[in-house]
Amino acid sequence: MRRPHIRSVAVAIAVTTAATGLAGTAFAGPSTGVERSSASATTNATAVAEAARTAAFAHASATGVSQGDELHAQDVMLDPEGARHVRFVRTHDGMPVLGGDLIVHLDHELAYTGVTRAAQQAVKPATTQAKLTADQAAAKAAQVAKGDAGSAQLVVDARGGSSALAYQVTVADQQGTSTVVVDAVTGKVRSNTPDSDEFLSPKLLESLRKHGETADPATGTATPEAGLLGAGGLGATTYPSAAKGTGKTLFVGNVGLTTTATSRGHYQLKDPSRYGTETRDAKGKYTEKFSAGTKFTSTTNVWGNGTTSNRASAAADAQYGITQTLDFYKKTFGRKGIANNSKAAEGMVHWGNKVANAFWDPTCGCMLYGDGDGQTFKKPLVVLDVTGHELTHGVVDATAKLEPTYVDSDGNQYGEPGALNESLADIFGSNVEFFTNNKKDTPDYLIGEKLGLAQKFLRRLDHPSLDKLEGTIDYWSPDTYYTEVHAGSGVSSHAYYLLAEGSGSKTINGVKYNSPTYNHSTVKGIGRTKATAIFYRALTRYMVSTTSFHDARVATLKAAKDLYGANSTEYKTVDKAWAAVNVTAANTPAARH
């Protein structure tokens, strides 16, 4: 699902501000909305980060920091109503702390108001003397993950309610990398997690194979929309310059694409208006280096022919989906790029040989799309909500870094933080559809409805258990901890749908929904716009790597209070929506697993 390691503790501070509703986040002034200069915002962010760091040590009993800890600011968030939030990663005696992340909350005068922390225990390990050598740990990791191990780095593993000295090792095989954490004293493997997210879990793929199901979605070129076909610049006479192109996609017909004119009559599938976002051709390689992909070029500025006979057709879908996802995050939340750093989002199609999946890969910071295995999945997995889902994993990776609790020997992932990650990807992936509003891909609360599956969708938010392929669940129970993350995602996805649309039957854009509740209550929705604002605020301000469903309830209540007030209908409906999926204050587990 995503990797657990901290790649670097020297993290550049990203500055984010949030508006009262959905739009206008980055650098928006608290009262006027006038943009500040980047230099001004960075200076302010540095001061806020230092104040938060000082507050964390001054309130050590609440924040859990102690002697030997260093806090490294990852993100500084400035809310228009005055609150400030600083997300930190931590080192202890110079070693990265896995599961040691925390968010320090301040008021407008930079006074401490609270903390959200991943580890509830002290992160200091019982010993700092390793019994295994780095080479022994690397050999163990290579054996477990069945690949070539890189160098082993000493870390403190503070996940799972304890703290231990450990080695972290990246292991690479033909299809990607995994992060293995080995106890430095006992030699026990503490975790082995694939670094890239997979849209389709190993469990689901095996289930489809056993049932002999084939997903072969219909494709083909739609009637051209007026003004789309034909190459053309955007008025510039110098090169490179932006140009208007047309994508003849597999799944959404003909769409407009902004491309780059590299010289007169020559074009590249790269969007200069969106940070240089680009899609390339992996040509069957298993590379995680975007630079190793082959550029898509054209003399017509028309990309693909609507069928798989043209390699650029899948690229047109991918580029369209990626740019629409960027636009959704920017126009809805003011988020400038997946990591909010004004950098390109990148994708590679035709990745690997007969790969029936699509991935968000944090190693290259890009999307990787397989062409299908030719048996179970016969088309590239480049549909719009798959891209929105996977790129949202990139957003989560840049913010809360929600992680699976454990991974089985087949690569299936378990645990509530991982399930919440999948849920958020579904929630915002469906929002990308609503934002895009493409008539060839009707906006809905279904995920993967264009994949060609027999049940007509992969997952759905209104009544998750209608997904029989993955056995997705509607409600929380103590057993949710042991549920595969895609199946477990139904808990918070269902809560979100109830918050947005309410319970009972409803038809939206021709799709019929009928959302049940655990307690047979009636929930009246507050609308998708407000529900999405609350979940995004909760993700960016109040979620950390270990956030469970009960933690997510608290996070969304805090977000609703920030945005609408503690006595608001919105706040009360958040509480009702979580109760309707059996997540309440009363049944909060006494201790974490």
Side-chain angles (χ1 to χ4, degrees):
M1 205 202 62
R2 64 164 305 281
R3 84 274 181 268
H5 65 279
I6 300 173
R7 280 178 287 187
S8 172
V9 295
V11 183
I13 297 175
V15 186
T16 310
T17 67
T20 303
L22 275 167
T25 53
F27 302 142
S31 57
T32 65
V34 177
E35 288 194 358
R36 294 188 229 115
S37 70
S38 178
S40 165
T42 301
T43 300
N44 192 16
T46 301
V48 173
E50 187 54 40
R53 185 179 292 107
T54 300
F57 283 95
H59 297 82
S61 60
T63 62
V65 298
S66 61
Q67 185 176 2
D69 287 355
E70 289 187 9
L71 300 180
H72 306 266
Q74 180 191 30
D75 202 358
V76 175
M77 296 155 281
L78 315 175
D79 294 343
E81 61 271 22
R84 277 79 178 100
H85 316 264
V86 182
R87 187 182 295 276
F88 291 106
V89 293
R90 182 181 348 194
T91 60
H92 181 79
D93 290 342
M95 296 178 289
V97 179
L98 310 183
D101 51 304
L102 65 157
I103 307 169
V104 177
H105 309 291
L106 309 172
D107 66 16
H108 68 286
E109 294 182 342
L110 303 186
Y112 173 83
T113 60
V115 66
T116 304
R117 49 191 279 202
Q120 300 304 308
Q121 78 283 1
V123 304
K124 183 178 180 179
T127 179
T128 57
Q129 298 298 315
K131 291 187 178 180
L132 268 69
T133 66
D135 287 345
Q136 287 172 327
K140 181 79 168 221
Q143 179 185 13
V144 169
K146 298 179 175 61
D148 298 323
S151 58
Q153 177 189 17
L154 276 175
V155 298
V156 177
D157 188 358
R159 301 168 300 170
S162 63
S163 298
L165 186 68
Y167 286 103
Q168 179 179 267
V169 188
T170 298
V171 179
D173 61 18
Q174 186 184 38
Q175 298 193 39
T177 60
S178 298
T179 296
V180 182
V181 178
V182 179
D183 194 294
V185 176
T186 66
K188 177 184 176 182
V189 175
R190 299 179 67 86
S191 63
N192 173 18
T193 309
D195 288 348
S196 59
D197 168 81
E198 296 182 345
F199 184 71
L200 306 173
S201 69
K203 184 178 179 181
L204 171 64
L205 291 171
E206 181 60 25
S207 175
L208 289 169
R209 292 187 192 106
K210 283 183 178 179
H211 288 86
E213 182 168 342
T214 297
D216 191 11
T219 59
T221 306
T223 303
E225 296 180 22
L228 281 184
L229 288 177
L234 297 179
T237 56
T238 58
Y239 300 100
S241 62
K244 292 181 179 179
T246 298
K248 291 190 172 184
T249 70
L250 296 174
F251 295 107
V252 287
N254 294 324
V255 296
L257 296 173
T258 301
T259 62
T260 299
T262 54
S263 62
R264 186 174 181 83
H266 294 85
Y267 305 93
Q268 184 178 342
L269 193 55
K270 182 176 183 178
D271 190 337
S273 68
R274 295 175 176 87
Y275 325 113
T277 287
E278 181 181 2
T279 299
R280 292 188 178 183
D281 189 344
K283 292 198 169 180
K285 293 181 291 188
Y286 291 95
T287 180
E288 291 183 276
K289 293 182 179 179
F290 183 72
S291 60
T294 300
K295 298 176 183 178
F296 279 98
T297 59
S298 170
T299 56
T300 64
N301 212 1
V302 176
W303 309 88
N305 64 2
T307 73
T308 55
S309 65
N310 188 312
R311 298 182 73 82
S313 297
D317 278 283
Q319 183 76 356
Y320 179 71
I322 292 170
T323 54
Q324 288 298 313
T325 302
L326 288 176
D327 285 358
F328 160 72
Y329 275 105
K330 185 175 182 181
K331 294 179 181 180
T332 309
F333 309 116
R335 189 174 188 85
K336 297 181 177 179
I338 298 305
N340 199 31
N341 57 4
S342 298
K343 290 188 177 180
E346 297 167 331
M348 284 193 284
V349 292
H350 310 304
W351 188 82
N353 180 31
K354 295 185 177 180
V355 174
N357 230 316
F359 311 79
W360 162 254
D361 190 326
T363 301
C364 70
C366 63
M367 281 294 305
L368 304 175
Y369 299 91
D371 283 333
D373 57 7
Q375 296 178 355
T376 304
F377 285 90
K378 295 191 175 183
K379 296 288 193 305
L381 279 82
V382 290
V383 300
L384 181 61
D385 59 4
V386 171
T387 295
H389 172 106
E390 291 301 321
L391 285 178
T392 296
H393 281 309
V395 174
V396 174
D397 189 61
T399 54
K401 294 181 174 65
L402 292 159
E403 301 172 358
T405 308
Y406 64 99
V407 182
D408 69 18
S409 59
D410 294 321
N412 294 296
Q413 302 175 32
Y414 298 83
E416 291 187 20
L420 181 60
N421 193 341
E422 292 300 330
S423 171
L424 291 167
D426 281 354
I427 288 166
F428 292 113
S430 71
N431 268 275
V432 169
E433 275 193 6
F434 279 102
F435 171 84
T436 303
N437 199 25
N438 186 301
K439 62 184 179 182
K440 297 295 181 183
D441 193 348
T442 304
D444 52 42
Y445 290 102
L446 311 178
I447 302 298
E449 72 278 6
K450 292 185 75 69
L451 291 177
L453 296 167
Q455 70 178 18
K456 306 301 184 184
F457 57 87
L458 179 56
R459 290 183 295 277
R460 59 188 300 154
L461 278 61
D462 67 314
H463 195 166
S465 65
L466 293 178
D467 163 29
K468 304 303 181 183
L469 285 170
E470 294 178 299
T472 305
I473 58 176
D474 291 325
Y475 311 117
W476 180 85
S477 75
D479 288 339
T480 302
Y481 176 83
Y482 305 101
T483 304
E484 190 274 331
V485 293
H486 295 85
S489 69
V491 175
S492 47
S493 293
H494 192 189
Y496 168 84
Y497 177 87
L498 290 166
L499 178 63
E501 302 292 351
S503 57
S505 61
K506 196 171 195 176
T507 299
I508 305 169
N509 292 338
V511 179
K512 294 182 179 180
Y513 303 95
N514 192 358
S515 193
T517 60
Y518 178 83
N519 51 5
H520 306 294
S521 64
T522 298
V523 179
K524 183 178 179 180
I526 61 173
R528 185 173 48 81
T529 298
K530 289 181 177 179
T532 305
I534 290 169
F535 268 70
Y536 181 78
R537 169 69 72 103
L539 166 64
T540 55
R541 268 68 176 166
Y542 299 111
M543 292 185 185
V544 290
S545 60
T546 58
T547 297
S548 66
F549 288 130
H550 285 80
D551 296 331
R553 171 186 172 273
V554 173
T556 49
L557 284 169
K558 288 180 177 178
K561 180 182 177 181
D562 288 350
L563 294 172
Y564 306 109
N567 294 318
S568 65
T569 298
E570 292 83 359
Y571 181 92
K572 294 173 184 177
T573 308
V574 168
D575 196 35
K576 290 178 182 177
W578 282 108
V581 298
N582 197 35
V583 176
T584 67
N587 66 13
T588 302
R592 298 187 183 194
H593 294 267

